[in-house]
Amino acid sequence: MGLIETLSYVIPELMLALGAMALLTFGVLQGDRSTGTVSIASMGLLIAAALVVMAGYGGDTEIFDGAFRIDAFSGFCKILIFGAAAIAILMSDKYLAGEQLGRFEYPILILLASFGMALMVSANDLIALYMSVEMQSLALYILAAFNRESRRSTEAGLKYFVLGALSSGLLLYGASLVYGFSGSTSFVEIARVAAATEGANVGLVVGLVFLIAGLAFKVSAAPFHMWTPDVYEGAPTPVTAFFAAAPKLAAMALFARALVSPFLDVHDQWQPVIAMIAVASMAIGSFSAIVQSNIKRLMAYSSIGHMGFALVGLAAGTKQGVSAVLIYMAIYLVMTIGTFACILLMRRRGGQTESLDDLSGLSESQPGLAILFTVLFFSLAGVPPTGGFFGKLFVFNAAVQADLIWLAVVGVLLSAIAAYYYLRVIWIIWFNEAGSAFEREAGTRLGVIATVSALIMMPILLIGIAPLRAAADAAAGALF
């Protein structure tokens, strides 16, 4: 394959990388006078998503000597990643201006993180895997500490960086063991060795465990979740919204590809590990969120729990299971973005507020916002017939079909426990005595994003599931 033909498969990624460099140069030259980078960056991400759609995101092509694979799986994930990143940029405009954080670097960092995520979901080699993960992570570390005047923000960035370096060490050590005992970094060659040894290669299995540990950190799965609450609370709220959406999807997609593509034939070796991580994540997310009074910390533990539910589908190790993971993550993406849009609307004259008690009596002061919160939290809790219910239904069904009935039962029980803290927030909104009202921002981008997200969650029973399931099935089929 010639260079021009190879590059034609990565036009969206090239556009993001070159666009980020162009915006960076423009910002440096113009300084404080540079404007419009937010709109340009979000438009670039939407164009990149459109290019993936126009390419049909089908086929199955290896590029750069097999380091990356362009297929339906990567295409499905890229569309969601680019869309979520574009919305995250649009959500941040007014907040950053109000907090005197409107610097041109912000959308550029999201573009670079999105570039890394696009590479992550296409990685077909251990070196490509590590390179793409670090490309994403370096931008995220800076975003976490973007508010340099805030002690919480700088502390969040430092914690994320230190613990991220630890996870990178685990990832590299696992990759080196896998390479040492398989003789290759290519997923194709690793799969051949794994199939030949049928789990008898102990070094390969040990390397796989370390690889899983490194990837579990990236999706904030327990017991590698310790960074999540502090980073979610300390980072600026639009950054937290971005962290909770696109990077989680990219990391989960990489998790699925890194386990299924090279290690499907030793599924019995890694299935118990993933199942235990799933149970731990669901349990810690469910119980720890109950005692939270800060809504961003609550969403952090909610995110940990949701990653546990998604891992239930991955533990199945089947096409149905991977499809369920993709469906779950797509629904989770919409729920999370909509919820953080509502959180960004929790603003008073004195600035942003994050306490759950501030939602008291919201149904009286702003009934529209109260309804949006209610719909989205019902969906996060998995109450039928919202989208969150169908996400859990698919992953639990995949677990049952894979003879992991015990895991599905545990998941259902922990889901019931998790519903408590979501319903507690709804109770505060509708039944607690009203406090001071938030500023009204009708017609803003945030209101539109929250409303659309809630509407998607409500009628998904009628119009959303069938096309989403068809697309997820096609994407999952590319890994098998």
Side-chain angles (χ1 to χ4, degrees), residues 16 59 87 133 197 236 282 312 411 454 465 470:
L16 292 183
I87 295 172
V133 165
T197 56
M282 291 186 291
V312 170
I465 284 295

Side-chain angles (χ1 to χ4, degrees), residues 276-298:
M276 288 297 103
I277 291 176
V279 171
S281 300
M282 291 186 291
I284 288 175
S286 298
F287 288 105
S288 299
I290 292 174
V291 298
Q292 301 305 316
S293 59
N294 182 290
I295 194 165
K296 287 168 69 177
R297 289 187 73 89
L298 183 144

Side-chain angles (χ1 to χ4, degrees), residues 110-470:
I110 289 187
L111 282 179
L112 293 173
S114 301
F115 172 65
M117 286 184 268
L119 298 180
M120 284 170 62
V121 299
S122 295
N124 195 44
D125 180 279
L126 292 174
I127 296 175
L129 179 152
Y130 179 74
M131 178 190 72
S132 57
V133 165
E134 291 306 301
M135 180 71 223
Q136 173 214 235
S137 298
L138 290 172
L140 296 185
Y141 298 150
I142 301 170
L143 282 170
F146 196 73
N147 187 359
R148 293 173 294 187
E149 305 302 319
S150 167
R151 180 178 178 180
R152 285 199 316 170
S153 183
T154 52
E155 183 180 340
L158 183 61
K159 285 181 178 178
Y160 195 15
F161 173 73
V162 171
L163 294 174
L166 175 63
S167 77
S168 294
L170 293 173
L171 195 67
L172 275 177
Y173 185 59
S176 66
L177 284 174
V178 171
Y179 168 71
F181 286 92
S182 67
S184 177
T185 59
S186 169
F187 286 177
V188 175
E189 287 300 312
I190 295 170
R192 184 184 59 79
V193 174
T197 56
E198 295 182 350
N201 191 330
V202 178
L204 192 67
V205 174
V206 172
L208 175 58
V209 171
F210 278 98
L211 203 65
I212 290 172
L215 292 173
F217 176 92
K218 300 303 178 185
V219 298
S220 66
F224 309 98
H225 66 285
M226 63 290 292
W227 62 274
T228 312
D230 291 335
V231 172
Y232 273 43
E233 182 183 12
T237 305
V239 174
T240 305
F242 178 62
F243 281 4
K248 288 293 176 67
L249 171 65
M252 188 61 71
L254 178 62
F255 215 150
R257 190 185 284 278
L259 288 183
V260 172
S261 291
F263 298 109
L264 184 60
D265 288 299
V266 289
H267 170 239
D268 58 321
Q269 301 288 327
W270 54 261
Q271 184 186 65
V273 179
I274 299 299
M276 288 297 103
I277 291 176
V279 171
S281 300
M282 291 186 291
I284 288 175
S286 298
F287 288 105
S288 299
I290 292 174
V291 298
Q292 301 305 316
S293 59
N294 182 290
I295 194 165
K296 287 168 69 177
R297 289 187 73 89
L298 183 144
M299 289 301 294
Y301 284 109
S302 169
S303 173
I304 294 167
H306 280 289
M307 293 306 102
F309 291 117
L311 287 172
V312 170
L314 183 58
T318 60
K319 177 183 173 181
Q320 183 184 4
V322 174
S323 175
V325 171
L326 294 177
I327 294 171
Y328 193 94
M329 293 306 298
I331 294 172
Y332 167 79
L333 204 69
V334 177
M335 295 188 298
T336 302
I337 288 175
T339 303
F340 273 99
C342 291
I343 292 171
L344 283 165
L345 289 169
M346 292 170 58
R347 189 174 185 86
R348 295 202 174 103
R349 194 175 298 275
Q352 197 77 28
T353 180
E354 300 171 2
S355 173
L356 289 177
D357 291 334
D358 291 327
L359 292 171
S360 297
L362 185 64
S363 59
E364 297 180 19
S365 59
Q366 291 192 36
L369 182 58
I371 291 171
L372 294 177
F373 259 121
T374 302
V375 171
L376 291 166
F377 269 76
F378 269 138
S379 188
L380 285 167
V383 176
T386 59
F389 167 77
F390 289 98
K392 290 180 179 178
L393 178 65
F394 283 120
V395 294
F396 292 155
N397 184 53
V400 170
Q401 296 298 321
D403 294 328
L404 291 174
I405 298 174
W406 70 270
L407 183 58
V409 171
V410 171
V412 170
L413 293 175
L414 291 173
S415 182
I417 294 171
Y420 168 77
Y421 61 83
Y422 295 119
L423 297 178
R424 180 169 68 99
V425 176
I426 295 171
W427 177 275
I428 291 172
I429 290 172
W430 290 93
F431 299 107
N432 278 18
E433 185 177 348
S436 56
F438 300 132
E439 290 182 353
R440 292 185 179 273
E441 299 185 25
T444 62
R445 292 174 182 172
L446 294 173
V448 172
I449 291 168
T451 302
V452 171
S453 299
L455 288 174
I456 291 174
M457 289 300 101
M458 289 173 66
I460 199 164
L461 171 64
L462 300 176
I463 63 173
I465 284 295
L468 176 60
R469 187 175 186 182

